[in-house]
Amino acid sequence: MGPPGRRRGRRVGSSTVTSEYVHHDDCVESRDWPALLARLGGSLPFAVVGGALYTSGAVSHRMSEHLAEVTRLDTASV
């Protein structure tokens, strides 16, 4: 529910969410920040590679469509 003596907030699922509870000093101190930041840092290369692959594929697809359209227009004008 939340720390005793604290005001209840909006219910989301089965947990109580308030700014006071989320930012409570005991909760912040108990978080394992180095592990969380290591996971975030470990996920960044995958995000960059995924973004690059998506962009490369999208550009390649658009260029293929453009080339096909130019070829079609060239053969239609001859």
Side-chain angles (χ1 to χ4, degrees), residues 49-63:
V49 168
L53 288 173
Y54 176 80
T55 302
S56 172
V59 168
S60 176
H61 180 71
R62 295 288 294 169
M63 290 301 292

Side-chain angles (χ1 to χ4, degrees), residues 51-74:
L53 288 173
Y54 176 80
T55 302
S56 172
V59 168
S60 176
H61 180 71
R62 295 288 294 169
M63 290 301 292
S64 294
E65 287 180 344
H66 177 71
L67 182 61
E69 185 67 17
V70 168
T71 304
R72 185 186 68 80
L73 291 173
D74 280 345

